[in-house]
Amino acid sequence: MITLLIGLAVLLWPGLTLLTAAVLFGAQMLITGVFWLAASFTADAMGRQRWLLAVAGLLALVAGILCLRAPFQTIAVLALLLGATWVVGGVAEVFHGFGKSGWAVFSGVVTAIGGVVVLVWPVASLLALAWLLAVVLIVFGAMAIAGAISVDRKPKTAKSAAPTGTTATA
């Protein structure tokens, strides 16, 4: 039931869903930064590892603050990173599959095209992904409800076939 309700909420408020995701991402970056920074002072490792952990912690803190300060820009940047990843991954898949697998080439072309679409329309693409997520959640929620309702029902037994008069022997 909760899955269905969350799916409906995402469908009705996709912008709020993306905003919530950006804020949660920012909060996660802040928390990660605090833990990494604290670990740099308490880690058993010496020298470079502690220094790198401290730098990573500070960068995560800055990223978290920036995400929370401008969540809609965070959404756009994440969309652009997703699009760029899909373009590069798609092109790599085309080159990897060329001459070996037509399906890999096809998949790479589709992935690259999807990446270009996301790069051209980043926010609209994320809204479309939010709507797709909503539909999936609604379907899964409805299936879970249907499964829970039918748990107590006994399956209908099939009528047994009439005997043929012959028996199998070993």
Side-chain angles (χ1 to χ4, degrees):
M1 181 69 145
I2 292 173
T3 304
L4 179 70
L5 293 175
I6 291 172
L8 288 172
V10 171
L11 187 64
L12 294 174
W13 300 293
L16 183 60
T17 300
L18 293 176
L19 178 64
T20 303
V23 169
L24 289 174
F25 181 72
Q28 186 265 338
M29 292 300 292
L30 281 176
I31 293 168
T32 299
V34 167
F35 277 102
W36 284 351
L37 199 54
S40 73
F41 291 107
T42 60
D44 290 334
M46 290 288 205
R48 190 180 340 185
Q49 292 85 359
R50 292 178 70 171
W51 180 80
L52 288 174
L53 200 54
V55 169
L58 288 173
L59 287 174
L61 282 172
V62 169
I65 291 168
L66 292 174
C67 289
L68 293 174
R69 188 168 172 251
F72 286 110
Q73 289 176 343
T74 300
I75 294 167
V77 168
L78 290 175
L80 292 173
L81 289 172
L82 175 68
T85 301
W86 284 0
V87 168
V88 171
V91 170
E93 194 171 1
V94 167
F95 281 112
H96 180 69
F98 194 73
K100 298 176 187 172
S101 169
W103 286 110
V105 172
F106 175 73
S107 173
V109 168
V110 170
T111 302
I113 290 170
V116 169
V117 168
V118 171
L119 287 173
V120 173
W121 298 291
V123 176
S125 298
L126 286 182
L127 285 173
L129 287 173
W131 288 331
L132 181 62
L133 172 67
V135 169
V136 168
L137 290 172
I138 290 168
V139 169
F140 283 175
M143 289 171 51
I145 291 169
I149 290 171
S150 67
V151 163
D152 292 335
R153 294 186 183 178
K154 296 189 185 244
K156 295 180 183 177
T157 57
K159 293 183 180 182
S160 58
T164 60
T166 60
T167 57
T169 58

